[in-house]
Amino acid sequence: MTLATFYPFTQTELYASLHGVPWHLTLTFLMIALTILMVSNVHYPTLPRAGFRTASGLLGLTLIVVILVFGIWKHDVFLFPLGIAYMLYGVGRAILLGFFRAPAEDEEAEIAGPIVIDESEQNYRGPRRPGTGAGGAA
């Protein structure tokens, strides 16, 4: 969505006022960064649930309404910076959490012991018959 909203953003006065930014290089970097983020493990937050019963529900409802109103009213100026801000928030949050969070058990480097192949007679189940699965009788 961020790349799709770039062209309407280029037709605005805000874009014209940012004449010092090398947009051809910025857009190239943005495309590469978005490509990398699509296959990364960066977890992005979802919108909060909207509701009337709790304060977080009201905050979520307000956020959704603001995005909807500005997305319809000033979509060319609003949606591209919103996409960039959402992308930068997710990356910054992942970097900060990476500094303060201990590695999970499955992320730690494990040293594998020797591989032991047990060829003793007690584990021998006989020859496999075709079509019976793991070697057992059907």
Side-chain angles (χ1 to χ4, degrees):
M1 185 184 114
T2 303
L3 285 178
T5 58
F6 178 73
Y7 179 74
F9 179 71
T10 61
Q11 307 303 310
T12 63
E13 292 177 16
L14 177 61
Y15 176 81
S17 68
L18 299 172
H19 54 82
V21 178
W23 284 107
H24 61 286
L25 294 176
T26 305
L27 186 59
T28 303
F29 173 74
L30 177 65
M31 289 173 56
I32 292 170
L34 288 172
T35 304
I36 292 169
L37 287 174
M38 281 193 278
V39 295
S40 70
N41 290 331
V42 175
H43 297 285
Y44 284 89
T46 58
L47 287 175
R49 292 184 182 229
F52 294 106
R53 296 180 188 251
T54 63
S56 64
L58 286 172
L59 180 66
L61 181 65
T62 305
L63 181 65
I64 290 171
V65 168
V66 166
I67 290 173
L68 187 64
V69 166
F70 280 103
I72 293 171
W73 181 41
K74 294 284 188 178
H75 59 86
D76 48 353
V77 178
F78 180 71
L79 292 178
F80 181 72
L82 178 68
I84 296 294
Y86 185 67
M87 180 186 75
L88 292 176
Y89 173 75
V91 170
R93 181 174 167 251
I95 290 171
L96 286 176
L97 289 177
F99 283 131
F100 297 116
R101 187 180 61 178
E105 199 173 296
D106 60 339
E107 293 177 357
E108 291 180 4
E110 296 180 12
I111 300 174
I115 298 174
V116 178
I117 300 174
D118 188 11
E119 295 183 5
S120 64
E121 291 292 324
Q122 64 186 6
N123 290 332
Y124 182 70
R125 291 187 244 172
R128 289 186 176 178
R129 288 180 277 162
T132 59

